[in-house]
Amino acid sequence: MNISKEHRTEIRVGTNTYRIEVAAQPSDDHTQPSQWVAITIGGADADGDPVAEGRLDLQAQVVSTVAELLAESLFDFVGRPKPPPRRRPGDRPAKQGQSWSSGEDAELEKRWLAGESVEAIAHYFERTPGGIRARLPRVGCDPENQGEYLPTPPSRRPEALGGDPG
């Protein structure tokens, strides 16, 4: 049995439709992974007339390098700056996406109420600033007002719970 890996993308820009297909080419020895990748590019205008077409056959181990080279060359050709590189997993803070412990929650609350900035707290906890802002309400802190708790919502105020309004 021969299983090949494929990826297809089609987008419309204005009246043109573009398509790219990337497929691992089957190897002669069906027990081994493919050593070659075929990249087929096509595009057509609203009338179906071709505006782009081509095919690249690449050794699998050079796909990443050729992709970077193509992107850089094409952006340079049209006079646009190359977009910044996507974040790689190694660029992420060490604890990004991990669960919080009750001790970390207590320390987060303490640091926020002491007036530390989101950035400083993120650095301390090895998490992103967005992760810190998202966690603050869970420990009762107001992410919009540094050093403050969230106000008590009306539904949790003593008068709403049947207590003395004071």
Side-chain angles (χ1 to χ4, degrees):
M1 172 154 103
N2 187 16
I3 299 173
S4 66
K5 186 174 180 179
E6 271 186 46
H7 179 80
R8 292 183 182 140
T9 302
E10 186 171 294
I11 62 168
R12 181 169 293 191
V13 179
T15 59
N16 294 343
T17 301
Y18 300 93
R19 149 188 108 266
I20 186 166
E21 297 176 16
V22 181
Q25 294 178 335
S27 64
D28 294 334
D29 177 2
H30 297 297
T31 63
Q32 298 296 317
S34 175
Q35 300 296 312
W36 288 88
V37 174
I39 303 167
T40 307
I41 300 169
D45 63 17
D47 297 325
D49 295 325
V51 295
E53 62 183 6
R55 178 181 163 125
L56 289 171
D57 292 315
L58 305 171
Q59 287 185 339
Q61 72 261 22
V62 302
V63 169
S64 176
T65 303
V66 172
E68 287 183 32
L69 177 64
L70 273 171
E72 188 173 311
S73 297
L74 292 171
F75 278 114
D76 187 51
F77 181 78
V78 296
R80 289 182 42 201
K82 183 179 173 187
R86 292 184 180 187
R87 290 183 69 181
R88 304 211 189 292
D91 295 341
R92 295 174 40 180
K95 292 188 176 180
Q96 180 180 346
Q98 293 182 10
S99 298
W100 287 74
S101 70
S102 58
E104 288 174 320
D105 280 342
E107 183 67 20
L108 172 63
E109 178 183 1
K110 177 180 140 192
R111 287 175 178 272
W112 183 251
L113 295 175
E116 278 190 48
S117 70
V118 168
E119 290 74 19
I121 295 171
H123 181 75
Y124 174 80
F125 284 106
E126 299 180 88
R127 297 179 185 266
T128 64
I132 298 300
R133 283 188 205 90
R135 191 68 185 180
L136 285 167
R138 293 178 181 236
V139 298
C141 294
D142 186 346
E144 300 298 321
N145 295 300
Q146 189 172 2
E148 295 185 27
Y149 282 113
L150 285 167
T152 306
S155 64
R156 301 296 299 156
R157 292 184 184 148
E159 61 270 23
L161 297 172
D164 184 11

